[in-house]
Amino acid sequence: FTGESGDRIYRTGDLGRYLPDGDVEAAGRADQQVKIRGFRVEPGEVEAELVRAPGVKEAVVVARGLKGEAAGGERQLVAYVVLDRENPAGIPELRERLRESLPAYMVPTAWVALERLPVNPNGKVDRLALPLPGQENLGNAGMGSVPPRDELELRLARLWEEVLGTPTVGVTDDFFDLGGHSLLAVRLMARIEAELGRTLPLAALFQSGTVEGLAAVLRRGTEDAPESPLVTLQAGDPSGIQRLPLFLVHPVGGQVISYLELARLLGRDQPVYGLQDVAPADAPRSLAGLAAGYLQQVRAVQPEGPYWLAGWSFGGRVAFEMARQLEAAGQEVAFLGMIDTGLVEPPARPEGEDDAALLQEVLVGMTLDVEALRRSGDPVAALVEEGKRTGALPLDYSPAAARRLLEVLKAHLALARTNRPRPYPGRLTFFSAQEPGPGQTLDPDPTHGWGALAGSVEVVPIPGNHVTLIREAANVRVLAARLVAAMAAQEVAAG
């Protein structure tokens, strides 16, 4: 090009062209090389390592923003793999294999397992048709991922998702495995300080690289700090459609973490708040008092109606009383939903009944051998240890916390047995389980008795029994879809 002896031309892979004025216009790449956090990465190298792994039939690696290309933010590597059905590879094993043979910046952040790769009419892989990673894939949270189990883990997981641009984070997922690096670590610490009011050194993240570990660090020395009854389960999308928030009242036991999957399935633009019972275990309670206290929290977020309220099981009773108090105060309740809330009081439990049997009914994800717990001598402590071993409970969860939960649970059951709801003139949507629970029969009254107390009742059938309708994934998807439809119908009716 220059005619000078000894001049060299270097092949970089960049495409360009000279313009008439002598400038050079960049026109992309001649290969698939991408930049990840300032490093040049050739996805073909990562693909070659993957297809050499046992249990992988095909693999494609691309760089993309995990919130969608239009959402901006830093791009990350995503691996799409077709696994051998006879001898499938595990995503954690594949990630570890790449760590051993490639630099850390070349290890994909998200993983998606597909039945087959999409192809175009020429038979080549159609990279534009590859789906974004989501919770249904084997990506970030992966197989065996543990969802948040309390409010602190939930708030931390949401911050991680925001900083990393990742759809879902499990509490045992490592920050750096998900694409985190030093600059994002600084950003995460700043967000924790802004949202939680706690300043942590960067070393805390390097030493406790999971949501679970960081939550344990944050809990130290704050065990007696007062909690808020209001929990943000999903903040909504401030840049999208502005929807009325949905307030979900806790079931027996006072915790709202059982609503986490339901909130996610309602759509990212739907704000969802949970109302939890944070009063001391021995505090006096009345159903009207609970409702009034929760309404103070609701009106701090939304001072005026129309309001959307719902609750599962005991939570439906409290939501009903909240709606009644709002109506008496001249406020509009646009939607009141009860998720399989029985009007007939629950039967009294025999004195001395195994506390562990009662606790495992409300601890999410706990299915244990109650007889074995009973033989341990301290069923509650044994349940806590088993819960920590299986990942259903945080590592710093204590038997004292379980006993507090047990006392709150018993107090709520007592309220359900003694409370007699007063009439409410408004409309009620009743989501009814279609299967009886163990040792139970279905109520012949489709409204479960609420038809005599509400102005009108619409019954919406949901597959599963009283527990599985909100804890089994397939049933929760149906519940979420029908809840969205019922709220949309009320919006249309209200004009």
Side-chain angles (χ1 to χ4, degrees), residues 30 219 235 247 318 325:
R219 288 192 194 97
F247 297 92
V318 183
Q325 290 184 19

Side-chain angles (χ1 to χ4, degrees), residues 139-491:
N140 310 314
M143 291 184 294
S145 175
V146 179
R149 297 157 298 194
D150 62 19
E151 181 193 357
L152 181 56
E153 290 185 345
L154 173 63
R155 294 176 73 182
L156 285 173
R158 292 290 183 262
L159 291 176
W160 284 36
E161 291 165 6
E162 173 190 323
V163 169
L164 293 168
T166 302
T168 54
V169 170
V171 300
T172 58
D173 294 336
D174 188 273
F175 179 80
F176 300 99
D177 283 349
L178 298 179
H181 50 79
S182 56
L183 292 178
L184 288 181
V186 171
R187 191 181 306 170
L188 176 63
M189 292 296 123
R191 293 293 293 120
I192 289 174
E193 182 176 1
E195 290 294 315
L196 304 181
R198 296 287 303 278
T199 302
L200 292 176
L202 272 180
L205 183 60
F206 290 106
Q207 295 166 1
S208 306
T210 64
V211 168
E212 178 181 64
L214 212 56
V217 172
L218 287 167
R219 288 192 194 97
R220 291 171 195 157
T222 62
E223 290 84 355
D224 298 326
E227 292 183 90
S228 169
L230 193 73
V231 179
T232 303
L233 296 175
Q234 185 162 271
D237 183 1
S239 64
I241 301 173
Q242 300 301 300
R243 297 190 180 280
L244 290 173
L246 172 65
F247 297 92
L248 293 171
V249 187
H250 62 80
V252 290
Q255 300 183 332
V256 296
I257 208 70
S258 55
Y259 294 130
L260 185 56
E261 179 66 4
L262 175 63
R264 187 188 72 84
L265 291 170
L266 295 178
R268 289 287 184 184
D269 60 346
Q270 175 61 61
V272 184
Y273 295 92
L275 291 159
Q276 62 179 355
D277 188 341
V278 297
D282 57 355
R285 287 173 171 82
S286 70
L287 199 135
L290 283 178
Y294 296 157
L295 283 177
Q296 288 183 348
Q297 300 293 321
V298 167
R299 299 189 75 172
V301 173
Q302 183 187 347
E304 300 291 331
Y307 292 101
W308 287 1
L309 308 172
W312 168 48
S313 192
F314 176 75
R317 285 177 173 252
V318 183
F320 187 87
E321 174 62 18
M322 290 170 66
R324 195 195 65 77
Q325 290 184 19
L326 283 170
E327 187 274 337
Q331 290 290 328
E332 179 187 357
V333 178
F335 177 79
L336 172 59
M338 283 191 175
I339 304 172
D340 209 54
T341 299
L343 180 57
V344 177
E345 63 272 10
R349 293 177 177 268
E351 190 67 28
E353 183 187 36
D354 199 316
D355 288 344
L358 194 56
L359 267 177
Q360 77 162 354
E361 294 180 10
V362 298
L363 288 171
V364 176
M366 298 289 283
T367 304
L368 304 174
D369 183 347
V370 176
E371 287 299 323
L373 295 177
R374 184 179 290 116
R375 291 192 297 270
S376 70
D378 187 345
V380 172
L383 179 143
V384 169
E385 288 307 309
E386 181 65 12
K388 289 193 282 189
R389 187 188 70 80
T390 60
L393 293 175
L395 292 176
D396 57 348
Y397 195 85
S398 67
R403 290 188 173 93
R404 178 200 176 275
L405 173 62
L406 181 65
E407 294 307 309
V408 174
L409 189 158
K410 290 178 177 178
H412 290 163
L413 287 174
L415 284 182
R417 294 187 187 107
T418 58
N419 172 259
R420 296 293 181 269
R422 288 186 281 175
Y424 165 67
R427 178 185 176 87
L428 165 64
T429 303
F430 191 88
F431 299 89
S432 178
Q434 295 302 286
E435 301 170 13
Q440 299 176 342
T441 58
L442 288 177
D443 192 325
D445 178 1
T447 73
H448 288 227
W450 294 101
L453 291 170
S456 64
V457 179
E458 178 189 9
V459 178
V460 179
I462 303 295
N465 62 35
H466 181 71
V467 173
T468 62
L469 94 169
I470 205 159
R471 289 196 181 168
E472 291 189 1
N475 298 339
V476 179
R477 282 195 289 271
V478 175
L479 173 61
R482 293 179 182 173
L483 182 55
V484 168
M487 291 190 297
Q490 290 299 95
E491 278 188 302

Side-chain angles (χ1 to χ4, degrees), residues 21 195 492:
D21 61 4
E195 290 294 315
V492 171

